[in-house]
């Protein structure tokens, strides 16, 4: 609330200050006021079309509303403006690798974007996770496993199941069925303890269960 008040004051002093409109959008976004946040991001872009952060944030808000057709061009624009923006590359790569609607998936492009993100920020375990999933989606099981294990090492189990379900599936695709079931079981335990209601993990768990032939709950 204090941040919102501060940004509004800044906008009163300079109505065309793009960074203030973007900041106000971020604050409203944090309160899940997506319509208001989107209005702010669009204002920021109106006053500074080259503000990559506003394009990234607009994409995230639109994704939150399920408007993927509108969100994807926002991230593409951000990357066009700032090709080394690791956050934008990872955001788009994640969507292209994990989108619930397969028509939006593009594993090869996701790999390219995720590699860019990892190159810019090699210690970001979440970026390595995106790269690993992108490799898996492209049928590159071994490369996917290597990237996911790198993510696991960097994150030290912080998001264990996000790596684990895909590691389970990669093991299965490589014929390592005992390892696959072990990873799957560990991931289920972690998820049920830490993020039982996470929608993305639910999808990944269902996908892994189907592949492994597990009668999941």
């Amino acid at each position: 609330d204090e941040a919102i008040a501060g940004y509004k004051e800044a906008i009163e002093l300079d109505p065309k200050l793009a960074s203030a409109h973007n900041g106000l959008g971020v604050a409203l976004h944090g309160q899940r006021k997506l319509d208001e946040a989107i209005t702010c991001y669009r204002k920021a872009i109106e006053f500074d079309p080259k503000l990559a952060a506003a394009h990234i944030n607009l994409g995230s808000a639109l994704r939150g509303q399920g408007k993927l057709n509108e969100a994807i061009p926002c991230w593409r624009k951000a990357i066009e403006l700032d090709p080394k923006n690791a956050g934008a590359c990872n955001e788009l790569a994640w969507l292209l690798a994990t989108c619930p609607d397969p028509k939006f998936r593009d594993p090869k492009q996701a790999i390219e974007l995720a590699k860019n993100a990892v190159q810019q920020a090699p210690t970001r375990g979440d970026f390595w996770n995106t790269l690993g999933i992108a490799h898996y989606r492209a049928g590159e099981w071994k490369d996917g496993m290597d990237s996911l294990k790198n993510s696991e090492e960097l994150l030290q189990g912080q998001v264990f199941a996000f790596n684990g379900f895909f590691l389970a599936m990669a093991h299965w695709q490589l014929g390592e069925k005992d390892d696959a079931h072990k990873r799957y079981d560990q991931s289920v335990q972690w998820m049920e303890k830490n993020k039982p209601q996470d929608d993305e993990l639910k999808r990944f768990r269902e996908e892994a269960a189907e592949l492994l032939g597990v009668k999941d709950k």
Side-chain angles (χ1 to χ4, degrees), residues 1-210:
D1 291 333
E2 291 179 25
I4 289 171
Y7 283 123
K8 286 183 174 178
E9 184 178 350
I11 290 168
E12 286 181 10
L13 294 170
D14 186 353
K16 294 186 178 182
L17 184 61
S19 60
H21 285 285
N22 182 60
L24 177 57
V26 171
L28 292 166
H29 198 156
Q31 294 185 338
R32 304 302 300 165
K33 297 176 180 176
L34 295 182
D35 286 333
E36 294 177 55
I38 286 169
T39 298
C40 292
Y41 296 143
R42 293 195 190 281
K43 276 285 184 184
I45 291 168
E46 176 186 343
F47 295 129
D48 185 359
K50 294 184 178 181
L51 185 60
H55 290 280
I56 296 170
N57 294 332
L58 177 57
S60 296
L62 290 167
R63 179 183 61 182
Q65 293 186 329
K67 299 175 180 176
L68 299 181
N69 280 325
E70 297 179 50
I72 290 172
C74 294
W75 288 317
R76 293 197 191 282
K77 183 63 178 179
I79 295 167
E80 176 188 324
L81 292 168
D82 184 5
K84 293 186 177 182
N85 191 307
C89 289
N90 185 70
E91 285 261 19
L92 183 52
W94 179 263
L95 177 62
L96 295 176
T98 69
C99 186
D101 188 341
K103 75 179 182 183
F104 289 107
R105 292 183 189 169
D106 186 339
K108 292 296 184 183
Q109 188 175 22
I111 290 171
E112 181 181 340
L113 290 163
K115 281 183 175 179
N116 190 346
V118 165
Q119 184 177 2
Q120 306 307 321
T123 61
R124 286 286 299 267
D126 52 337
F127 292 178
W128 281 100
N129 171 253
T130 302
L131 179 58
I133 294 174
H135 277 303
Y136 177 82
R137 289 285 184 233
E140 300 171 358
W141 323 125
K142 184 63 170 64
D143 289 338
M145 188 176 291
D146 290 343
S147 295
L148 291 166
K149 287 182 177 179
N150 202 9
S151 170
E152 196 171 49
E153 183 177 344
L154 288 167
L155 293 172
Q156 298 182 344
Q158 293 176 39
V159 291
F160 182 85
F162 281 93
N163 285 309
F165 286 126
F166 282 92
L167 278 167
M169 290 189 284
H171 277 299
W172 185 270
Q173 299 287 9
L174 290 167
E176 300 163 356
K177 296 188 176 182
D178 289 342
D179 289 331
H181 281 288
K182 181 179 178 181
R183 281 285 184 177
Y184 176 83
D185 291 341
Q186 290 173 338
S187 299
V188 168
Q189 290 173 12
W190 185 94
M191 176 185 171
E192 292 181 347
K193 180 180 179 180
N194 297 281
K195 288 182 176 289
Q197 301 305 319
D198 190 285
D199 288 336
E200 285 187 313
L201 277 182
K202 287 179 181 179
R203 287 196 292 109
F204 300 156
R205 176 177 176 172
E206 289 172 4
E207 181 181 354
E210 183 177 358

